């Protein structure tokens, strides 16, 4: 594995005793044309388009509800994803989605290398955009190197300032769009522009503007090589059947300078033009093999193909291929098609299928009612004047629907038990008509009493069902009914609490 | 310390001298910006120390240029909470307790406030959550010596029971029948009283005698059938609840030499808003009428 200590001509730096800290070797990526570049441009437009436009997509949810298709409403503590509404305690959907995305990333990486890094990672996409701006204002690689070495002139300063201004505008748009995922987009735009947004909105706006500017404008490949954890363990996803950007060493070597008209007999196809190095956004030499810094973007493929075309040599001296095929080709054997079915791809696919199925099943069967039941611990039970035993519970019914609804509370237990539902102040409600406001939690008291004669044991399991009377959705919860020890004489100190072991 | 530092042949770099499974670690320098971030962190902490308190100076401490203090902030927060509560407490103080129950939002607040006040003032005798204990009535059951509607509960809270410091307190005394009846009569009466609440019926002769004794001595306060009388706080003898225990010995003891529980009057000791909240809370425990 190579390190970043490579100068621009692709030669290794010779240092006797390395310093503790190294200056950055600035990378000046050269513009390149070709099919890979076109795909990258197309993906860049699509992904940035989604990012900037998505918050503006409206979604009618009725009066008094946010009409933004995708909104993480922190103040209201709701997540809105089109038709889906997520409550804070349903955050596992988000966690599940992230796990799914991670396994998907593992699968894609094991099949096709770091496609995420090269094409879809925000760091790559924004850096690409910033480089495009840089190229428009300051020119291509050679001109930028010259410009940076030249003395400061008005023209040089003007171009630098213009570049940074455009970068800052893009960064501000990026930071602004981020806020829109958390607040209503049109409202927060007006607020940000008129100075009436919250301090939180401004600090988040500033944070994402600054990080975009610094990371995409200044840090660039250093984010990938020093800050990002992914390159450190992505090698664990790769095997010899993984398709990665590869230099066909068996064909390219022995490399050497090429003069027009010379024969390619007895030498490699690589003419050591260093085009692959000059276009690389992370500044590496792909001919050194797969390495930590390589983000598999394939711009070197375009660059090399262009050169091969001019030389009338076959393309694909740098190409996507598996390690196994390259080894086979090197030995002069016929390469086999890539093996898609491998233990690791099967495990990842299996995980994705299982996880996806679990999440989908969970989503399709989820109800908009939830309930919790907390048994009173003091007192554990109360003896009533007729000798029956009563337990108290705090019952919470969560109505996740927008409409207020009437709920029925049903308690399953021994025949003869009596359950009543009360408001917090003690007022009794009909157990089949417990009103809970829409988008809210009803906090209630529940009393269950049983005559001493029918209590089967000291701790009797109860099953409580809460049903939305309109939609029929149900939530279930299990609890206990606690009674004094059965051996106790019922005339004895029944007013006081006998010690009962809780489970 | 690495023992053998050598040059890596492939890269020409120095190694750290560490080797795992034949792989030698290159001595790669950290990027310069890393160093700068470190310097910035130091500068940041220096500014922070200047802005916020943290440096001890003998008996005092450096207050920080911003004059910020978590204690001051805490006091301000408490004041803000008090101010926020003032409205609802004033309302609870001024409203008739029965009307508090009719207003769900205020009632919920009162129940929460009452729960805290109960734990501080009442739980020592009446038990956590009004569980009660021998000699101290449970407040969550359906039996009330003096009545369980919200106004009666508030009255009891305000003036207490047999509280010598309050002229309006609830007062009742059961005579010590040990000086009126002989031992045999008390035994008979005990059997009779226990039978009222469902214990085994004694022999017919005992039953008859007990009935007569009860009618002569007890019925005036406890009612003809031992159903109790809230006017005097006389407990029902026909239910399953016994304030001082329901064994023969305990019942006989209570007839011979009755104990009389005392509850302090809380009016004057507690703010009226707190009394009202306590009344609402006790009423909500499950026995409120």
């Amino acid at each position: 594995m190579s390190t970043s200590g490579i100068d621009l001509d692709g030669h290794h730096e010779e240092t006797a005793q390395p310093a503790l800290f190294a200056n950055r070797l600035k990378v000046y990526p050269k513009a390149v044309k070709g099919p890979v570049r076109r795909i990258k441009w197309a993906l860049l437009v699509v992904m940035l388009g989604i990012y900037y436009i998505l918050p503006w997509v409206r979604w009618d949810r009725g009066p008094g509800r946010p009409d933004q298709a995708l909104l993480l409403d922190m103040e209201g503590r709701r997540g809105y994803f089109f038709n889906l509404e997520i409550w804070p305690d349903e955050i596992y959907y988000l966690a599940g989605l992230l796990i799914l995305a991670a396994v998907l990333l593992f699968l894609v990486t094991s099949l096709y290398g770091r496609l995420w890094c090269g094409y879809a990672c925000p760091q790559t996409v924004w850096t690409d955009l910033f480089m495009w701006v840089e190229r428009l204002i300051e020119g291509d690689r050679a001109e930028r190197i010259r410009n940076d070495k030249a003395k400061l002139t008005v023209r040089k300063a003007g171009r630098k300032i213009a570049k940074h201004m455009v970068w800052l505008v893009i960064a501000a748009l990026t930071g602004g769009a981020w806020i829109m995922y958390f607040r209503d987009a049109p409202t927060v735009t007006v607020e940000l522009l008129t100075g009436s947004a919250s301090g939180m909105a401004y600090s988040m706006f500033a944070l994402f503007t600054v990080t975009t500017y610094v990371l995409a404008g200044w840090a660039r490949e250093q984010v990938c090589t020093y800050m990002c954890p992914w390159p450190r363990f992505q090698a664990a996803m790769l095997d010899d059947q993984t398709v990665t950007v590869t230099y066909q060493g068996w064909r390219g070597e022995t490399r050497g300078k090429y003069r027009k008209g010379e024969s390619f007999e007895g030498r490699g196809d690589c003419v050591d033009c260093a085009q692959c190095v000059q276009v690389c956004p992370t500044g590496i030499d792909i001919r050194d093999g797969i390495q930590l810094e390589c983000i598999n973007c394939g711009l070197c493929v375009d660059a090399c193909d262009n050169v091969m075309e001019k030389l009338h040599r076959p393309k694909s001296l740098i190409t996507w291929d598996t390690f196994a095929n390259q080894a086979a080709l090197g030995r002069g054997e016929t390469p086999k098609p890539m093996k898609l079915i491998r233990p690791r791809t099967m495990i990842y696919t299996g995980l994705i299928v299982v996880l996806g199925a679990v999440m989908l099943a969970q989503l399709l069967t989820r109800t908009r009612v939830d309930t919790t039941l907390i048994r009173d611990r003091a007192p554990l039970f109360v003896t009533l004047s007729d000798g029956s035993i009563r337990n108290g519970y705090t019952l919470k019914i969560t109505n996740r629907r927008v409409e207020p609804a009437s709920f029925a509370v049903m308690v399953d237990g021994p025949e003869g038990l009596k359950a009543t539902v009360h408001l917090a102040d003690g007022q009794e409600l009909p157990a089949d008509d417990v009103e809970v406001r829409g988008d809210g939690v009803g906090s209630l008291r529940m009393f269950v009493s049983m005559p001493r004669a029918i209590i089967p044991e000291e701790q009797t399991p109860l099953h409580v069902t809460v049903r939305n009377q309109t939609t029929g959705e149900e939530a279930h919860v299990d609890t206990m009914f606690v009674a004094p020890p059965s051996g106790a004489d019922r005339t004895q100190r029944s007013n006081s609490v006998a010690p009962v072991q809780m489970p | 310390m690495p023992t053998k530092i050598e040059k890596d042949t492939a890269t020409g770099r120095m190694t750290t001298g560490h080797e795992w499974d034949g792989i030698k670690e290159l001595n790669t320098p950290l990027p310069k910006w890393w160093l700068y971030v470190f310097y910035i962190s130091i500068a940041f902490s220096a500014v922070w120390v200047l802005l916020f308190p943290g440096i001890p100076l003998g008996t005092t401490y450096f207050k920080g240029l911003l004059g910020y203090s978590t204690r001051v902030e805490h006091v301000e927060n408490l004041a803000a909470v008090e101010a926020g509560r003032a409205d609802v407490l004033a309302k609870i103080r001024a409203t008739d307790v029965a009307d508090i129950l009719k207003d769900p939002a205020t009632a919920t607040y009162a129940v929460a406030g009452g729960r805290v006040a109960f734990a501080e003032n009442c739980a020592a005798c009446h038990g956590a959550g009004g569980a009660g204990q021998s000699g101290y009535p449970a407040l969550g059951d359906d039996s009330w010596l003096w009545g369980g509607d919200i106004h009666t509960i508030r009255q009891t809270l305000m003036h207490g029971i047999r509280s010598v410091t309050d002229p309006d307190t609830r007062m009742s005394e059961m005579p010590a029948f040990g000086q009126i009846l002989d031992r045999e009569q008390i035994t008979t009466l005990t059997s009779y009283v226990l039978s009222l609440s469902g214990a085994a019926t004694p022999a017919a002769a005992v039953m008859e005698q007990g009935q007569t004794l009860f009618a002569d001595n007890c019925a005036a306060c406890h009612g003809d059938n031992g159903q109790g009388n809230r006017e005097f706080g006389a407990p029902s003898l026909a239910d399953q609840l016994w304030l001082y225990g329901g064994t023969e010995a305990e019942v006989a003891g209570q007839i011979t030499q009755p104990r009389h529980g005392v509850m302090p009057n809380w009016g004057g000791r507690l703010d009226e808003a707190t009394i009202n909240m306590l009344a609402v809370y006790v009423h909500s425990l499950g026995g409120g009428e």
Side-chain angles (χ1 to χ4, degrees), chain A residues 49-247:
Chain A
I50 290 172
Y51 175 74
Y52 290 115
I53 292 167
L54 200 54
W56 295 89
V57 178
R58 302 288 98 183
W59 198 265
D60 187 16
R61 291 192 183 88
R65 316 276 293 167
D67 61 350
Q68 188 157 318
L70 206 153
L71 182 70
L72 284 165
D73 183 359
M74 291 290 177
E75 275 171 51
R77 292 178 190 172
R78 301 282 181 274
Y80 299 97
F81 301 88
F82 301 91
N83 260 345
L84 271 183
E85 187 186 320
I86 305 284
W87 281 44
D89 52 342
E90 294 178 302
I91 201 79
Y92 47 76
Y93 285 114
L94 219 56
L97 210 60
L98 289 176
I99 296 170
L100 204 59
V103 182
L104 204 62
L105 186 59
F106 296 167
L107 177 65
V108 168
T109 304
S110 72
L111 288 174
Y112 298 108
R114 290 166 65 188
L115 283 191
W116 163 260
C117 298
Y119 292 84
C121 174
Q123 175 63 22
T124 289
V125 170
W126 263 277
T127 301
D128 234 10
L129 180 68
F130 274 45
M131 282 178 179
W132 176 71
V133 169
E134 190 171 61
R135 219 169 268 139
L136 279 185
I137 297 173
E138 289 194 285
D140 204 5
R141 173 182 159 88
E143 196 178 347
R144 289 206 305 276
I145 295 175
R146 218 170 36 242
N147 195 36
D148 277 2
K149 279 183 183 159
K151 279 197 182 124
L152 188 67
T153 61
V154 175
R155 179 179 151 78
K156 178 178 169 180
R159 291 214 296 192
K160 290 273 182 203
I161 290 168
K163 177 183 80 176
H164 287 286
M165 292 319 288
V166 176
W167 279 0
L168 277 169
V169 169
I170 297 171
L173 288 174
T174 309
W178 182 260
I179 312 300
M180 296 172 195
Y181 285 93
F182 299 89
R183 295 283 314 281
D184 181 60
T187 316
V188 81
T189 306
V190 172
E191 283 178 1
L192 284 172
L193 292 176
T194 56
S196 56
S198 65
M200 188 58 154
Y202 278 116
S203 49
M204 283 292 139
F205 172 66
L207 180 70
F208 283 91
T209 302
V210 169
T211 46
T212 308
Y213 172 72
V214 170
L215 295 184
W218 293 89
R220 294 191 175 173
E221 82 286 349
Q222 303 202 86
V223 174
C224 311
T225 50
Y226 293 116
M227 303 179 197
C228 181
W230 183 226
R232 313 266 154 201
F233 62 90
Q234 54 92 18
M237 319 279 140
L238 306 182
D239 55 30
D240 67 350
Q241 290 297 319
T242 305
V243 174
T244 55
V245 171
T246 264
Y247 164 68

Side-chain angles (χ1 to χ4, degrees), chain B:
Chain B
M1 279 296 288
T3 50
K4 201 172 135 201
I5 297 176
E6 56 187 312
K7 209 170 202 184
D8 177 55
T9 46
T11 62
R13 287 191 165 278
M14 307 299 285
T15 68
T16 57
H18 305 155
E19 184 176 332
W20 292 272
D21 297 342
I23 299 168
K24 283 175 190 143
E25 187 189 24
L26 291 182
N27 191 2
T28 308
L30 279 171
K32 229 1 143 8
W33 59 260
W34 196 288
L35 188 66
Y36 295 143
V37 168
F38 177 56
Y39 291 153
I40 291 168
S41 304
I42 292 172
F44 179 85
S45 61
V47 172
W48 188 273
V49 164
L50 284 179
L51 291 179
F52 292 95
I55 306 170
L57 301 171
T59 53
T60 177
Y61 63 94
F62 175 61
K63 302 282 189 298
L65 298 179
L66 291 181
Y68 173 83
S69 147
T70 48
R71 173 169 280 276
V72 169
E73 191 183 54
H74 178 64
V75 170
E76 280 168 3
N77 285 345
L78 280 183
V81 170
E82 286 296 326
R85 275 184 190 157
D87 283 355
V88 63
L89 284 181
K91 188 175 172 190
I92 288 173
R93 191 175 296 117
T95 312
D96 182 88
V97 272
D99 292 332
I100 295 177
L101 287 183
K102 287 177 193 142
D103 173 12
T106 317
T108 306
Y109 188 95
V111 167
R115 181 177 293 117
V116 177
F118 188 90
E120 279 178 15
N121 300 291
C122 318
C125 294
H126 286 287
Q133 55 178 315
S134 183
Y136 302 93
L139 302 176
D141 63 20
D142 56 348
S143 161
W144 292 92
L145 294 171
W146 299 89
D149 69 82
I150 184 96
H151 282 120
T152 312
I153 292 172
R154 187 179 183 279
Q155 176 78 12
T156 306
L157 271 161
M158 282 295 280
H159 301 291
I161 289 166
R162 302 181 194 98
S163 172
V164 288
T165 55
D166 192 319
D168 296 327
T169 194
R170 297 193 186 284
M171 198 43 116
S172 70
E173 293 267 323
M174 173 162 157
F177 284 95
Q179 292 155 15
I180 300 165
L181 303 175
D182 60 32
R183 185 173 290 256
E184 197 185 332
Q185 285 174 313
I186 287 176
T187 310
T188 307
L189 199 51
T190 301
S191 304
Y192 176 74
V193 165
L194 283 172
S195 77
L196 288 177
S197 58
T201 312
V206 175
M207 191 69 179
E208 202 177 319
Q209 200 192 347
Q211 207 161 3
T212 314
L213 280 167
F214 190 84
D216 292 347
N217 298 292
C218 319
C221 292
H222 286 286
D224 292 340
N225 304 310
Q227 74 272 26
N229 187 339
R230 288 176 174 183
E231 285 291 309
F232 318 116
S236 163
L237 304 176
D239 65 17
Q240 301 288 324
L241 302 175
W242 298 94
L243 188 53
Y244 294 99
T247 61
E248 261 190 70
E250 282 164 333
V251 172
Q254 191 63 11
I255 295 171
T256 311
Q257 186 64 50
R259 283 162 288 174
H260 301 112
V262 172
M263 166 165 153
N265 53 313
W266 294 96
R269 301 186 194 208
L270 294 179
D271 174 43
E272 290 227 12
T274 311
I275 301 257
N276 283 356
M277 290 197 291
L278 275 173
V280 173
Y281 171 69
V282 170
H283 185 265
S284 78
L285 284 175
E289 290 168 347

